[in-house]
Amino acid sequence: MTTVMNRPVNPEVEAIRHHYEVSNAFYRLLLGPAMMYSGGYWEDGEDLRAAHETAQERKLDTFVELAGAAGAARVLDIGSGWGTMLDRLTTVHGVDRAVGVTLSRTQKEFVDGLGNPKIDVRVESWEDHRAEEPYDAAFCVNALEHFVLSSLTPRERVARFREFFTQCHRLIKPGGRLVMHVMTVENPPLTRQIIDDLKFLQREEFPGCYIPHLHHLTATCEGLFEVTEIRNERESFSRACRAWLENLAERRAEAVELENEEVVARFERYLDIFAYTLEDGIFNNFRMVLTRREGETR
Ligand SMILES: C[S@@+](CC[C@H](N)C(=O)[O-])C[C@H]1O[C@@H](n2cnc3c(N)ncnc32)[C@H](O)[C@@H]1O
């Protein structure tokens, strides 16, 4: 069980907190006012930093439209970060109740601090979430990458992806949509640098994190969701990484004071790895729109 607030927790939860419970002040410096930790939609010619907030809002609004979530009664955000999607759903798109799940207690503190009575954020894992009634729509924006451990066998990983889509099927109304951004990996060229960098990501920054292949996702949602759209938007994420690196470079001394040299250096290295692997097509960032099929969840 991973429903947790202050109790001792399992290594999977600790791994997430290692990354996501760096202070909110540090994340504010890194992510800027948008407080989105995922790709954005820049238009050609726009400046990475000047247009960062606009690019993130564009992404959110596009996702809301694709999910048909405007004016909905209840919407779920799985891996809800600092609550920017939840806030926009309720303040701009007329959603009545926006529920988020995250494993990070500092993220929950941040979202609670927004004082938005239409938002409910819970510190619990996606598989533990229960709803009194199904949601009209759901989002999972660059969070699924954390949900399946690399230490599992290939067969167990497939079963875990299936569990994720089964849980989403249970939580969303028939005909409702799940809109995701999710990174996938291609078979990378096995150069020394790539091997070292991928090892660093997996051992030091995101312990146990498993980046799937696209076919894992399409195969394991079969029968539960109709795949309505798949688009590779890897530049949306590489640009965001470059914008965050520029934020960090400009205020590096402050960042070190908020955390320490080791944390800042770790972030610089991992963001640079993400940026170049996305630019080189080693990682992808797929936007997937899935429509929940009729029928009971078994
Ligand atoms: C890269 S952040 C993305 C946050 C947000 N969706 C955004 O776009 O800004 C990944 C999020 O997934 C959450 N997360 C990781 N593992 C989780 C789990 N097992 N259950 C629920 N949330 C989880 C993290 O706490 C974090 O909020």
Side-chain angles (χ1 to χ4, degrees), residues 16 20 35-38 77 79-81 101-104 107 124-127 141-143 146-147:
I16 296 298
Y20 290 104
M35 286 306 260
M36 287 301 298
Y37 205 12
S38 48
D77 190 10
S80 51
V101 292
T102 175
L103 288 180
S104 162
Q107 288 178 343
E124 66 183 356
S125 191
W126 56 270
E127 70 265 45
V141 186
N142 290 120
H146 291 301
F147 298 171

Side-chain angles (χ1 to χ4, degrees), residues 6-290:
N6 295 308
R7 284 186 283 124
V9 291
N10 70 29
E12 198 178 336
V13 175
E14 285 308 335
I16 296 298
R17 291 184 175 169
H18 166 72
H19 187 80
Y20 290 104
E21 291 195 357
V22 172
S23 68
N24 284 328
F26 174 84
Y27 273 113
R28 180 71 175 65
L29 183 155
L30 182 75
L31 305 177
M35 286 306 260
M36 287 301 298
Y37 205 12
S38 48
Y41 290 165
W42 278 264
E43 286 181 354
D44 286 347
E46 279 184 336
D47 181 78
L48 274 188
R49 288 179 76 211
H52 183 189
E53 218 180 328
T54 311
Q56 290 292 359
E57 286 172 0
R58 238 181 238 137
K59 187 268 303 283
L60 290 172
D61 294 347
T62 305
F63 271 45
V64 173
E65 196 186 331
L66 289 167
R74 301 172 68 254
V75 176
L76 175 67
D77 190 10
I78 305 170
S80 51
W82 291 266
T84 310
M85 169 65 97
L86 302 172
D87 201 48
R88 199 154 177 92
L89 281 166
T90 51
T91 56
V92 176
H93 294 288
V95 169
D96 209 40
R97 185 127 205 93
V99 177
V101 292
T102 175
L103 288 180
S104 162
R105 296 161 298 187
T106 46
Q107 288 178 343
K108 177 175 166 55
E109 263 167 43
F110 183 90
V111 182
D112 287 348
L114 298 175
N116 180 336
K118 295 185 171 180
I119 294 181
D120 173 12
V121 169
R122 310 194 189 154
V123 178
E124 66 183 356
S125 191
W126 56 270
E127 70 265 45
D128 297 327
H129 185 64
R130 300 286 174 271
E132 288 131 40
E133 50 182 304
Y135 291 95
D136 297 301
F139 299 97
C140 185
V141 186
N142 290 120
L144 179 54
E145 298 88 330
H146 291 301
F147 298 171
V148 177
L149 287 180
S150 58
S151 56
L152 299 176
T153 64
R155 190 187 288 258
E156 287 168 337
R157 280 190 223 128
V158 166
R160 190 82 174 133
F161 283 116
R162 183 71 181 172
E163 221 175 291
F164 171 74
F165 287 116
T166 305
Q167 168 70 331
C168 292
H169 189 264
R170 202 177 283 129
L171 291 170
I172 301 170
K173 284 183 180 165
R177 297 207 190 118
L178 169 65
V179 181
M180 312 202 294
H181 250 165
V182 55
M183 288 175 76
T184 69
V185 67
E186 300 287 318
N187 289 325
L190 295 176
T191 63
R192 184 79 258 157
Q193 187 196 356
I194 298 216
I195 293 168
D196 285 351
D197 286 347
L198 296 182
K199 265 194 210 156
F200 164 81
L201 287 181
Q202 195 146 78
R203 294 196 182 153
E204 294 183 46
E205 198 50 49
F206 299 104
C209 182
Y210 178 72
I211 306 287
H213 289 270
L214 179 60
H215 65 85
H216 289 132
L217 307 175
T218 51
T220 54
C221 73
E222 225 176 273
L224 299 168
F225 286 89
E226 179 185 348
V227 179
T228 312
E229 178 197 275
I230 303 187
R231 269 168 72 106
N232 194 353
E233 300 186 324
R234 60 193 164 85
E235 74 293 341
S236 69
F237 209 162
S238 60
R239 284 177 186 158
C241 293
R242 295 276 177 222
W244 300 329
L245 277 169
E246 286 182 23
N247 288 344
L248 202 49
E250 189 184 76
R251 295 172 63 192
R252 195 177 194 285
E254 223 181 302
V256 172
E257 217 163 281
L258 284 170
E259 291 299 326
N260 55 55
E261 175 60 37
E262 187 258 318
V263 168
V264 173
R266 249 177 46 210
F267 271 75
E268 286 169 334
R269 178 157 183 209
Y270 113 73
L271 287 170
D272 182 60
I273 298 172
F274 266 22
Y276 92 75
T277 48
L278 285 157
E279 284 158 1
D280 291 355
I282 295 167
F283 285 148
N284 303 303
N285 191 40
F286 279 101
R287 180 171 92 190
M288 297 183 74
V289 182
L290 307 177

